[in-house]
Amino acid sequence: MSDKQQPLSGLKVADFSWFGAGPICANNLAAFGATVVRVESEAHLDGLRLVGPFPPDKNTFNVSGYFNNYNAGKLGLTLNLNTELGMDMAHRLIAWADVFITNHTPRIIEKWQLGYEQVRALNENVVAVYQPMQGFDGPHKYFMGFGAVLGPITGYSHLSGFPHRAPMGLGTNYPDYVINPGHTLVAILAALRYRRKTGKGQCIELAQIESSVAPLAPAVMDYANNGCVQGRQGNRLTHAAPHGAFRCKDNEWNGQPEERWIALGVFDDAQWRAFVDAIDAPTWATDAALATLDGRKQREDEIEQKIGEWTRDRTAEEAMALLQSKGVPAGVVQNARDMLESDEHLKARGYYVYLDHPEAGHNAYDGPPFRLSKTPGELQGPAPMLGQHNEQICKDILGMSDEQIADAIVAQALY
């Protein structure tokens, strides 16, 4: 752990969450100095520990790149909350904490009796954070799900893909990574400020469905104001043409061909003229009918075919450099290798942080998602192995003796 003073140094967090939305939020708290104890079950593992990518020839519960990236700098504790002693230890951890966070379903919260009033009875001034998928009331309160479920039910899938194909979603559990943890982080900081001023804690209920629909306001407002139900547009935009991704000359990597693409957009007539100049003004592009957005929209299929023919003979990097030099928005459609090894901007800013994990080895982690000028934040260490800090937490935080720890292991309260 780092000795540097961070804005959240001294803050104590009991992280009873799992998978994405909760752990990622707590990961940000750890990156800015909080002591975060991640509570896990060995009998019912966090599913991310079972999901790759894994390092070559390694497949233990401790080497998932997925899990490790979102739990850096935390302390790991494995408890069995289905035992009386395990629940007692959980209560003592909550009593120690400034922030209690969980994203388990209301049914589990009820089973464990960890609702706000029950948690408050353990720690009157705690900031108790709940991330139920659809909230603590309403007809769907007991529905389970993750970002993959939120995508369709909030409208992302309906808007994603090409109009002639079925809804395809975002290809990832987007709400888990960005919206839910981001909103929760802001709410926690606001509640901590309130507690600093009043001495009082409070309950934060972040219904993941409500947090997730917030970025879709333009589509919702379009229906509310105009009665228009927006649909899938593929890579196109109503206010730009051309706008899309175009295949370029393939790379060869590890002896295999590798597709390369460029994304570009023309948002006004001046950019169209610059684009025409960049591609050496072929006859088709100098047609006066294409000089306006309306004209280009009417022949979008034809334009995209011609652009694809132009990009196919060039590398994505060559095409990007040329178009950007003319003032046309364009960028390589980057893959993971590009992000880690080729993106000079991210490299210069040192966004990716490399940490040594006892089992997973030397790997890249996402750095803090924002920087503070005086206290920029840093990853305090790699993700914990399963139960790695059991003894440390039992002794230093829960005040247990060696005999009590042994009793907890025998009782299968502590794995």
Side-chain angles (χ1 to χ4, degrees), residues 98-179:
D98 299 298
V99 177
F100 161 77
I101 179 169
T102 178
N103 58 354
H104 286 282
T105 66
R107 196 185 308 280
I108 295 297
I109 298 301
E110 292 170 6
K111 174 187 174 184
W112 287 345
Q113 299 183 40
L114 291 177
Y116 177 55
E117 292 304 326
Q118 293 150 326
V119 167
R120 191 182 178 201
L122 301 169
N123 183 345
E124 182 177 1
N125 299 319
V126 72
V127 173
V129 184
Y130 301 88
Q131 297 175 309
M133 195 180 82
Q134 300 209 34
F136 278 140
D137 51 39
H140 299 167
K141 63 177 286 189
Y142 290 122
F143 279 20
M144 297 186 295
F146 303 96
V149 176
L150 289 167
I153 67 174
T154 56
Y156 286 100
S157 295
H158 175 78
L159 293 168
S160 302
F162 290 87
H164 61 287
R165 295 179 181 174
M168 60 179 292
L170 300 174
T172 183
N173 299 330
Y174 176 64
D176 282 335
Y177 307 128
V178 181
I179 310 168

Side-chain angles (χ1 to χ4, degrees), residues 120-301:
R120 191 182 178 201
L122 301 169
N123 183 345
E124 182 177 1
N125 299 319
V126 72
V127 173
V129 184
Y130 301 88
Q131 297 175 309
M133 195 180 82
Q134 300 209 34
F136 278 140
D137 51 39
H140 299 167
K141 63 177 286 189
Y142 290 122
F143 279 20
M144 297 186 295
F146 303 96
V149 176
L150 289 167
I153 67 174
T154 56
Y156 286 100
S157 295
H158 175 78
L159 293 168
S160 302
F162 290 87
H164 61 287
R165 295 179 181 174
M168 60 179 292
L170 300 174
T172 183
N173 299 330
Y174 176 64
D176 282 335
Y177 307 128
V178 181
I179 310 168
N180 296 161
H183 285 168
T184 306
L185 178 63
V186 172
I188 290 173
L189 296 178
L192 290 172
R193 177 174 171 79
Y194 174 80
R195 192 177 80 153
R196 177 177 293 181
K197 296 177 69 174
T198 67
K200 299 178 181 178
Q202 61 181 297
C203 175
I204 296 171
E205 179 197 4
L206 182 129
Q208 295 188 34
I209 187 172
E210 295 171 356
S211 170
S212 299
V213 299
L216 295 172
V220 175
M221 294 296 289
D222 201 10
Y223 177 72
N225 289 302
N226 306 315
C228 176
V229 178
Q230 293 186 6
R232 295 177 293 285
Q233 299 185 68
N235 289 321
R236 293 178 177 176
L237 289 179
T238 55
H239 57 282
H243 185 282
F246 301 89
R247 190 169 177 180
C248 297
K249 183 185 293 184
D250 292 346
N251 266 352
E252 182 177 310
W253 187 61
N254 280 348
Q256 298 293 324
E258 179 185 55
E259 288 187 11
R260 301 293 287 172
W261 296 74
I262 185 172
L264 64 89
V266 172
F267 291 85
D268 57 39
D269 297 341
Q271 287 183 358
W272 172 250
R273 292 191 292 273
F275 177 78
V276 172
D277 179 48
I279 63 174
D280 292 331
T283 301
W284 68 266
T286 57
D287 187 337
L290 302 181
T292 66
L293 175 63
D294 288 344
R296 294 191 294 276
K297 276 293 182 186
Q298 292 176 20
R299 293 164 60 183
E300 215 161 7
D301 288 340

